[in-house]
């Protein structure tokens, strides 16, 4: 069997089966559920890309596949296995399910307690509204129908229930379609969008139904690009960011705008994630922490260690003492919690400056400020020009600061 270097073995005992798998990487968790007739090793090249992009990946052989025992004769036991996998992970997982894996994930999400642990769902060339005749023809042509007839009949009988569950999903959903050879039609995709209007649909040219086998790198890059912020958004909602008032709406509104601004300026993935969560521990100017500093593990699980470290630096900044030294490199940042002085340089300093400018610019755009306060914001952004001159020039041209 192909295995990734540095993987860790996983084992989950179920009442009638033992599920065996592996995990690799650190950062936000992606749970990968393979298609029927496959095994977890199909995800190996996908995992390599996702780990490099800063994700932690978990993949199990589904029951009756690979190293896992048990019998895949019905969808409910497969769904219960998915629930057990999610229970063993921190909240905020991105679930990626291909074919059988996607249907098992949908069935598991019918339980609100399971749904609360998931940041978003990626369906890989599968939809809940399956046409029975078309499914049987497709599986028969691939030589799969006869071997799994009992499971196929059970799944098709559950299509109305799967559609009901999908229609109630209030989390992000992405459908990744294969190209030529995929059984998912344009009509299937349209029906999914009618069920879940907030869903997104994309395609992977050159892939058939088994996208992870045909185009693993393209699939991994799509998952990484689309789902990167899902765990952070799930955590912010869970922590009540939608209930905290902030100029321009709620704190969550503000965080999303700052994230979008940093992304628009070409900020790194780390900077974008930190921007989205920059006020998680409160700040010197906004003393409303969503998390106390002694619960940093929750944010690390959502955005990764590097981005969380930047959020902590930003939240801990004693602005009056630190801003007095703006323009110097490295920048001595005074920690308002401990009094410690940390030297910021290189990427830390660039990302800190990007988030600071984006935050201040959003306040200038949305808050009813006195002229003196707007001049102070303009002066602060100008002082940060030593670290990000191009961004500073663009920010100072914003009408809110003129």
């Amino acid at each position: 069997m192909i295995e990734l270097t540095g993987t860790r073995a996983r084992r989950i005992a179920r009442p009638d089966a033992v599920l065996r798998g592996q995990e690799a990487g650190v950062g936000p968790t992606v749970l990968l559920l393979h298609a029927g007739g496959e095994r977890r090793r199909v995800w190996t090249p996908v995992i390599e890309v996702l780990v490099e992009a800063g994700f932690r990946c978990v993949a199990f052989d589904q029951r009756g596949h690979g190293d896992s025992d048990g019998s895949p004769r019905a969808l409910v036991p497969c769904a219960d296995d998915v629930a057990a996998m999610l229970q063993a992970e921190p909240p905020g997982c991105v679930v990626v399910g291909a074919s059988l894996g996607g249907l098992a994930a949908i069935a598991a999400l019918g339980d609100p307690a399971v749904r609360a642990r998931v940041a978003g769902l990626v369906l890989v060339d599968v939809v809940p509204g399956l046409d029975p005749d078309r499914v049987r023809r497709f599986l028969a042509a691939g030589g799969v129908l006869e071997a799994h007839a009992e499971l196929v009949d059970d799944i098709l009988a559950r299509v109305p229930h799967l559609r009901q569950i999908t229609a109630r999903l209030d989390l992000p959903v992405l459908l990744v379609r294969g190209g030529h050879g995929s059984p998912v039609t344009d009509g299937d995709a349209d029906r999914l969008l009618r069920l879940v209007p907030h869903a997104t649909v994309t395609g992977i040219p050159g892939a058939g139904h088994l996208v992870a086998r045909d185009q693993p790198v393209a699939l991994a890059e799509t998952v990484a690009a689309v789902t990167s912020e899902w765990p952070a958004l799930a955590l912010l909602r869970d922590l009540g960011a939608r209930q905290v008032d902030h100029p321009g709406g709620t704190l969550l509104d503000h965080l999303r705008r700052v994230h979008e601004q940093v992304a628009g300026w070409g900020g790194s993935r780390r900077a974008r994630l930190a921007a989205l969560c920059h006020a998680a521990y409160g700040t010197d100017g906004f003393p409303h922490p969503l998390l106390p500093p002694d619960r940093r593990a929750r944010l690390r699980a959502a955005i990764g260690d590097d981005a969380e470290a930047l959020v902590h630096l930003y939240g801990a900044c004693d602005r009056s003492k630190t801003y007095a030294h703006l323009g110097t490199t490295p920048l001595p940042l005074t920690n308002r919690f401990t009094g410690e002085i940390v030297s910021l340089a290189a990427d830390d300093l660039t990302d800190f400056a990007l988030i600071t400018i984006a935050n201040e610019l959003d306040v200038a755009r949305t808050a009813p400020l006195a002229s003196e306060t707007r001049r102070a914001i303009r002066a602060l952004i100008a002082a940060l020009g030593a670290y990000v001159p191009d961004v500073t020039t663009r920010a100072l041209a914003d009408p809110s600061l003129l």
Side-chain angles (χ1 to χ4, degrees):
M1 180 190 298
I2 299 171
E3 296 287 353
L4 280 169
T5 302
T7 61
R8 301 168 291 279
R10 295 292 303 276
R11 180 182 184 276
I12 295 178
R14 304 286 298 130
D16 59 345
V18 174
L19 308 176
R20 292 179 174 85
Q22 66 190 71
E23 66 172 278
V26 293
T29 300
V30 178
L31 176 63
L32 298 155
L33 305 169
H34 63 74
E38 289 284 356
R39 55 197 303 180
R40 71 178 187 268
R41 67 183 180 187
V42 74
W43 295 115
T44 297
V46 174
I47 292 172
E48 290 174 346
V49 175
L50 290 176
V51 167
E52 182 66 23
F55 291 88
R56 170 178 171 265
C57 296
V58 178
F60 282 88
D61 288 327
Q62 295 201 62
R63 61 171 50 229
H65 295 74
D67 296 327
S68 296
D69 50 31
S71 177
R73 296 180 178 176
L75 186 60
V76 168
C78 297
D80 291 343
D81 292 345
V82 173
M85 295 174 197
L86 288 166
Q87 189 62 41
E89 302 303 328
C93 287
V94 172
V95 178
V96 179
S99 197
L100 171 62
L103 298 174
I106 292 173
L109 291 171
D111 182 346
V114 174
R115 195 161 61 247
R117 303 187 67 81
V118 174
L121 173 65
V122 179
L123 297 172
V124 182
D125 211 55
V126 67
V127 292
L130 302 171
D131 176 81
D133 292 337
R134 180 151 42 90
V135 168
R136 288 192 172 93
R137 286 195 302 271
F138 177 81
L139 295 176
V144 178
L145 181 60
E146 185 175 352
H148 299 285
E150 188 175 353
L151 176 59
V152 171
D153 288 344
D154 181 76
I155 290 174
L156 292 175
R158 296 181 183 277
V159 164
H161 184 53
L162 293 173
R163 288 175 55 83
Q164 290 174 3
I165 294 171
T166 306
R168 294 196 299 266
L169 292 180
D170 57 356
L171 45 79
V173 176
L174 169 66
L175 169 62
V176 180
R177 297 178 57 185
H180 179 71
S182 166
V184 177
T185 67
D186 292 344
D188 292 330
D190 290 341
R191 282 185 287 275
L192 176 67
L193 291 173
R194 287 196 291 272
L195 274 179
V196 192
H198 63 272
T200 303
V201 178
T202 190
I204 303 291
H209 179 56
L210 299 177
V211 183
R213 181 180 291 276
D214 297 337
Q215 294 289 339
V217 173
L219 174 59
E221 290 175 345
T222 297
V223 170
V226 175
T227 72
S228 183
E229 285 81 25
W230 286 5
L233 288 169
L235 176 61
L236 292 170
R237 293 187 185 101
D238 185 56
L239 295 175
R242 286 184 292 191
Q243 284 73 52
V244 178
D245 290 335
H246 194 279
T250 69
L251 177 58
L252 183 59
D253 296 329
H254 166 69
L255 295 172
R256 297 187 78 155
R257 290 193 301 267
V258 172
H259 163 265
E260 290 167 4
Q261 184 64 79
V262 169
W265 287 333
S268 65
R269 177 177 181 270
R270 177 207 191 201
R272 298 194 305 270
L273 288 171
L276 184 58
C277 301
H278 71 270
Y281 303 124
T283 70
D284 205 359
F286 190 74
H288 301 284
L290 299 173
L291 274 174
D294 61 354
R295 295 179 62 194
R296 295 175 63 180
R298 286 201 69 185
L299 188 56
R300 288 183 184 130
I303 64 175
D305 292 357
D306 287 347
E308 186 279 334
L310 183 58
V311 172
H312 190 263
L313 277 173
Y314 185 85
C317 176
D318 183 319
R319 295 182 175 182
S320 63
K321 293 179 180 178
T322 302
Y323 289 177
H325 300 282
L326 287 177
T328 62
T329 302
L331 174 66
L333 182 147
T334 300
N335 187 314
R336 66 188 176 97
F337 301 129
T338 66
E340 178 188 8
I341 296 177
V342 179
S343 294
L344 294 188
D347 291 344
D348 286 343
L349 184 51
T350 298
D351 292 344
F352 176 85
L354 277 176
I355 295 171
T356 301
I357 294 172
N359 176 70
E360 297 296 332
L361 189 58
D362 187 68
V363 171
R365 289 168 172 169
T366 59
L369 303 176
S371 298
E372 181 181 353
T373 304
R374 291 188 187 277
R375 287 194 295 271
I377 291 176
R378 183 177 178 85
L380 170 60
I381 292 175
L384 290 162
Y387 314 122
V388 282
D390 292 344
V391 167
T392 298
T393 299
R394 293 162 66 182
L396 292 175
D398 192 89
S400 66
L401 296 179
L402 297 179

